[in-house]
């Protein structure tokens, strides 16, 4: 028998998509029955109360969580999001209901042994409710009490060799696409660098020392499966510098209809037979492709590596062999000055252990932003405020046309004094000798 | 409920403390076929909706079955995922960047038993626990946020709006009939945690009333300058307020004509709550993308300024989304993302084809860049 009546959210049980309400209910029931005799460290009926408070929010059309909450573990300045219900007497099971961010393995591959052990820990010391995963990448444990935080952290580090993720004005948990683990497009090992930089910058991740939050994301190619260009302050997007590798026989197999276009992604509809002119040559954004005498040709110099032709004919076309990544900076959501996507800073850089060159770029950006960034100013906003040129100066990067979508249209151009012959110190009386008042 | 120690000693909190060890290393968790063929993949193919095969230069193959995940899930559900992975996948599993779950097997004959097992599992209310799909030119999982389950600043619920929308779009999760893949995202306030600003279709929780001011507590609870600096339109300024009992306190005033209800002051100051049952609701945005394929990445644009919260199933919102999807499916060219289609036909035509009302709310009026969104040309369609 459920603790609270939930007529509104019960309506989310039906329909084909997995119902979170039914899942929460099965967890509430499992805790009530407690077949395994778990000595629950937070209220046994906390999931019932979570359902109850959610039902109340559905009734009121408003959240029932109090503002903020500052909790954590000693030694760290983040990793736990405190949360308290604003109706603790009605729903004592969620009076405290803090979230813990647990640092996920790059690529989000797991063994069941690891996940099951984690489930046992979380059922025992928390609500048993999770997010798999948070938008930034962490495993999210939703709902525990303050006294359990240190206990969970102790277990995580001692038994699981496993740390918390980031929160607050610091480096947040980096994440990546699955990269070379299971994709033929990946231009570098996204998981290796994601893991390496996460470890390199543990201090910056656990102890907030920045003006605001900062995120890394690693995409193996310009398809951007982890959306780094939109969702990280520093975005690493795999690319290559040499020729796209063409297998002409395989091209013929596409033209002949033997291989499905785009690996079969459009199989749900009859789009007619594959037409290489219409679907590849004419859609190429730079028009750098030709198909003549049953031969596909690409003018590499004019290719911007958008991935379209490779995506359409994955068995015939492959990224080149001279691989690396582009680095783009400044992406953020709208608050405060408007949304930004990453802007191209480094067109090409090799991605090779121990990543020293990349670390130098990161650290020069941090040196600048940590000194100049205003309180709660994202990197993207600092770049807007002080100018892209300033970013180039601070990172020691020479301006190139690839840095802009187009040159400026206004002529409000700053020059540095030493760029102008004679400098800026001038005597108006000297001027007046030739130009009378 | 007796307290059980983990070994942590609260009297000596820094003793035996382990810190800065980071995540577990990714390759501890690789299935054997992945570990062996990493970096050697030659090509892939989508065999059917939700099922992929990757072929390596060694000749090895890995078959992947992708299933929908709720993101919000219990340990009971995770254990069931593990049970399936133990039975079919040698105890390996992964999650995608859109919170789907992927089961991998290393030969084709293991595929059908896995698929049959996944498809047979349902929740008591009848919903599928592990619907197979989410590949190719269809609609995959909705990136979303906390909503009323756990956040203090939402203007709508996340899990509920997502469930309601995925139920309506479900056939496209299990099909690949669209011109290109169509990404739907959801955020419960305009902090836009996740991908709302860069998705084909985005659901965004929004307020329409300025904050209330808890003057008696404001100076005690908030750093007033931070609340002032939090406002993108400078609607907040410091104020001296006389309470009913005659006490004078430091607080803030809000110029209501300047406030556009973003809620960022509440994020910084607990004494400025703004949630409201009838004021709050949904904004719909469309046309964003993150990939660089053919066209550059794009921001999503606001096309519906307000749809009320109609919990538990948000019928007006889901019907509007369905209408946009169908207009796009009918009209766009193969490989054309929703934003590319809208730009090609012109936004005036987009509104017509999607049967959406254009209102003044959709015209940008935020600072200098707004000008660049108006139409400086005589090129338009009647």
């Amino acid at each position: 028998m459920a603790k609270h009546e939930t007529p509104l959210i019960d309506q989310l049980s039906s329909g084909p998509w997995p119902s979170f309400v039914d899942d929460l209910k099965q967890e509430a029931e499992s805790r009530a029955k407690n077949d395994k005799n778990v000595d629950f460290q937070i209220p046994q009926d906390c999931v019932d109360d979570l359902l109850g408070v959610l039902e109340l929010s559905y009734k009121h059309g408003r959240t029932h969580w109090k503002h903020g909450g500052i909790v954590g573990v000693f030694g760290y300045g983040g990793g736990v999001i405190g949360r308290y219900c604003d109706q603790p007497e009605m729903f004592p099971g969620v009076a405290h209901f803090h979230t813990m961010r647990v640092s996920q393995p790059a690529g989000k591959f797991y063994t069941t042994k690891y996940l099951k052990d984690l489930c046992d820990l979380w059922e025992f010391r928390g609500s048993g409710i999770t997010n798999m995963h948070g938008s930034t990448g962490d495993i999210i444990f939703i709902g525990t009490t303050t006294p359990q935080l240190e206990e969970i952290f102790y277990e995580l580090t001692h038994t699981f060799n496993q740390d918390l993720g980031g929160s607050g004005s610091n480096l947040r948990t980096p994440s990546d696409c699955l990269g070379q683990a299971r994709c033929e497009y990946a231009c570098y090992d996204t998981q290796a660098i994601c893991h390496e930089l996460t470890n390199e910058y543990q201090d910056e991740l656990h102890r907030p020392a920045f003006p605001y939050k900062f995120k890394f994301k690693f995409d193996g190619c310009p398809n951007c499966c982890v959306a780094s260009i939109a969702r990280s302050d520093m975005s690493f997007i795999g690319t290559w510098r040499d020729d796209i590798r063409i297998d002409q026989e395989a091209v013929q197999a596409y033209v002949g209809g033997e291989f499905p276009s785009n690996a079969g992604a459009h199989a749900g509809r009859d789009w007619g037979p594959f037409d290489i002119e219409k679907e590849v040559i004419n859609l190429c954004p730079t028009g750098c492709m030709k198909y003549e005498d049953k031969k596909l040709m690409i003018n590499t110099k004019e290719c911007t590596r958008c991935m379209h032709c490779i995506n359409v004919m994955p068995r015939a076309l492959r990224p080149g062999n001279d691989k690396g990544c582009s680095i783009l900076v400044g992406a953020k959501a709208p608050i405060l000055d408007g949304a930004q996507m990453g802007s191209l800073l480094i067109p090409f850089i090799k991605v090779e252990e121990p990543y020293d060159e990349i670390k130098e770029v990161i650290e020069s950006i941090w040196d600048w932003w940590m000194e100049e960034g205003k309180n709660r100013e994202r990197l993207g906003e600092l770049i807007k405020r002080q100018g892209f040129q300033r970013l180039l100066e601070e990172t020691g990067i020479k301006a190139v046309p690839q840095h802009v979508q187009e040159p400026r249209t206004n002529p409000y151009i700053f020059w540095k004094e030493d760029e102008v012959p004679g400098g800026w110190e001038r005597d108006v009386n000297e001027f007046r000798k030739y130009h009378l008042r | 409920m007796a307290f059980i120690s983990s070994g942590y000693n609260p009297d000596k909190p820094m003793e035996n403390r382990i810190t800065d060890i980071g995540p577990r290393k990714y390759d501890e968790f690789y299935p054997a076929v992945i570990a062996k063929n990493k970096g050697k993949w030659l090509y892939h193919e989508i065999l059917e909706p939700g099922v992929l095969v990757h072929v390596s230069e060694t000749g090895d193959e890995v078959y992947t079955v992708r299933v929908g995940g709720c993101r919000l899930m219990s340990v009971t559900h995770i254990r069931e995922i593990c049970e399936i992975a133990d039975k079919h996948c040698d105890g390996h599993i992964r999650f995608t960047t859109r919170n789907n779950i992927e089961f991998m097997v290393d030969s084709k004959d293991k595929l059908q038993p896995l698929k049959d097992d996944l498809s047979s599992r349902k929740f008591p209310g009848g919903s599928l626990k592990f619907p197979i799909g989410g590949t190719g030119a269809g609609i995959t999982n909705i990136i979303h946020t906390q909503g009323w389950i756990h956040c203090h600043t939402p203007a709508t619920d996340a899990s509920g709006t997502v469930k309601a929308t995925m139920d309506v779009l479900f056939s496209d999760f299990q099909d690949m009939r669209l011109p290109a893949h169509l990404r739907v995202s959801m955020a419960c306030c305009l902090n836009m945690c996740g991908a709302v600003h860069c998705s084909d279709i985005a659901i965004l929780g929004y307020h329409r009333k300025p904050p209330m001011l808890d003057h008696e507590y404001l100076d005690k609870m908030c750093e007033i300058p931070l609340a002032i600096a939090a406002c993108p339109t400078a609607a907040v300024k410091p104020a001296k307020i006389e309470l009913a009992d005659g006490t004078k306190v430091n607080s803030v005033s809000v110029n209501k004509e300047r406030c556009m209800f973003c809620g960022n002051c509440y994020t910084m100051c607990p004494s400025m709550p703004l949630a409201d049952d009838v004021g709050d609701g949904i904004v719909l945005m469309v046309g964003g993308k993150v990939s660089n394929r053919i066209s550059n990445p794009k921001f999503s644009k606001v096309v519906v300024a307000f749809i009320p919260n109609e919990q538990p199933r948000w019928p007006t919102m889901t019907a509007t989304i369905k209408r946009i999807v169908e207009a796009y499916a009918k009209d766009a060219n193969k490989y054309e993302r929703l934003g590319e289609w809208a730009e090609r036909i012109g936004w005036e035509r987009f509104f017509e084809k999607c049967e959406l009302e254009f209102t003044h709310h959709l015209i940008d009026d935020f600072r200098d860049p707004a000008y660049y969104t108006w139409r400086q040309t005589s090129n338009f369609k009647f």
Side-chain angles (χ1 to χ4, degrees), chain A residues 69-221:
Chain A
I70 300 174
V71 290
V73 297
F74 283 116
Y76 288 177
V80 187
I81 316 302
R83 201 63 82 216
Y84 302 93
C85 182
D86 72 3
Q87 296 297 331
E89 284 176 13
M90 222 185 294
F91 306 107
V94 294
H96 289 229
F97 214 60
H98 312 320
T99 287
M100 298 186 83
R101 293 185 178 164
V102 178
S103 190
Q104 85 291 356
K108 302 192 184 89
F109 285 88
Y110 295 105
T111 56
T112 51
K113 163 92 172 70
Y114 171 83
L115 283 181
K116 283 187 279 193
D117 289 350
L118 217 52
C119 287
D120 290 346
L121 169 66
W122 186 235
E123 178 179 54
F124 169 44
R125 296 195 179 274
S127 66
I129 303 301
T130 75
N131 279 158
M132 295 297 281
H133 296 70
S135 290
T136 299
D138 302 277
I139 299 167
I140 306 286
F141 285 171
I142 300 181
T144 193
T145 58
T146 309
Q148 287 303 313
L149 298 176
E150 287 288 2
E151 306 298 329
I152 294 165
F153 182 65
Y154 191 93
E155 287 275 8
L156 281 176
T157 50
H158 287 75
T159 313
F160 288 81
N161 186 25
Q162 168 68 62
D163 212 332
L164 293 182
S167 70
S169 289
N170 57 8
L171 175 66
R172 299 293 184 84
T173 307
S175 62
D176 59 350
C177 72
L178 90 174
Q180 294 175 343
R182 207 197 61 207
C183 180
E184 67 272 21
Y185 302 155
C187 295
Y188 66 95
D189 190 344
T190 53
Q191 279 149 57
I193 187 173
C194 184
H195 186 74
E196 163 65 22
L197 294 189
T198 304
N199 280 301
E200 173 80 12
Y201 299 119
Q202 280 288 294
D203 188 27
E204 286 79 0
L205 191 153
H206 293 301
R207 298 164 198 89
F210 292 166
Y212 204 5
K213 66 177 99 168
F214 196 96
K215 300 185 183 184
F216 292 149
K217 279 188 166 58
F218 304 90
D219 274 310
C221 84

Side-chain angles (χ1 to χ4, degrees), chain A residues 17 23 27 40 58 63 67 74 83 97 99 110 112 116 151 160 184 191 207 262-263 279 337, chain B residues 1 6 17 20 24 30 41 44 46 73-74 76 86 93 97 125 150-151 157 163 266 293 335 367:
Chain A
W17 187 252
D23 186 16
E27 193 59 31
F40 296 114
Y58 271 60
T63 188
H67 183 282
F74 283 116
R83 201 63 82 216
F97 214 60
T99 287
Y110 295 105
T112 51
K116 283 187 279 193
E151 306 298 329
F160 288 81
E184 67 272 21
Q191 279 149 57
R207 298 164 198 89
N262 217 114
E279 299 188 31
D337 271 354
Chain B
M1 194 172 83
S6 61
R17 177 168 296 264
D20 301 276
R24 290 279 286 269
Y30 283 158
W41 299 106
H44 74 284
I46 305 171
M73 57 177 69
S74 69
T76 301
D86 283 339
I93 196 85
T97 57
H150 207 253
C151 191
D157 187 40
K163 163 72 175 155
Y266 180 58
R293 183 175 185 172
Y335 305 115
R367 300 190 188 168

Side-chain angles (χ1 to χ4, degrees), chain B residues 7-146:
Chain B
Y8 166 69
N9 179 359
D11 296 327
K12 293 183 176 170
M14 301 314 279
E15 197 175 86
N16 291 326
R17 177 168 296 264
I18 297 173
T19 66
D20 301 276
I21 55 175
R24 290 279 286 269
K25 190 154 181 237
Y26 50 93
D27 56 6
E28 288 179 52
F29 301 115
Y30 283 158
V33 63
I34 295 290
K36 184 178 162 205
N37 294 286
K38 183 173 176 181
K40 297 177 188 163
W41 299 106
L42 272 185
Y43 66 89
H44 74 284
E45 197 172 318
I46 305 171
L47 300 176
E48 59 186 271
V51 182
L52 305 154
V53 60
H54 287 78
V55 180
S56 162
E57 63 191 37
T58 64
D60 286 352
E61 296 177 330
V62 61
Y63 294 84
T64 302
V65 181
R66 183 176 295 165
V67 304
C70 279
R71 193 177 93 112
L72 177 70
M73 57 177 69
S74 69
V75 293
T76 301
H77 193 65
I78 297 174
R79 286 179 182 134
E80 189 166 345
I81 293 168
C82 291
E83 176 217 316
I84 297 167
D86 283 339
K87 203 191 295 179
H88 300 274
C89 314
D90 300 322
H92 290 274
I93 196 85
R94 79 171 288 268
F95 291 79
T96 71
T97 57
R98 297 192 75 88
N99 308 310
N100 289 314
I101 305 145
E102 289 184 341
F103 296 89
M104 287 158 284
V105 292
D106 54 14
S107 77
K108 199 165 189 175
D109 55 307
K110 296 178 185 169
L111 206 49
Q112 198 59 42
L114 170 62
K115 279 164 41 188
D116 292 344
D117 189 354
L118 289 166
S119 305
S120 71
R121 295 173 189 245
K122 290 185 179 183
F123 281 115
S127 67
L128 293 158
K129 282 181 174 172
F130 306 106
I132 298 171
T135 54
I139 295 176
T140 184
N141 210 342
I142 301 181
I143 294 281
H144 65 278
T145 55
Q146 297 291 30

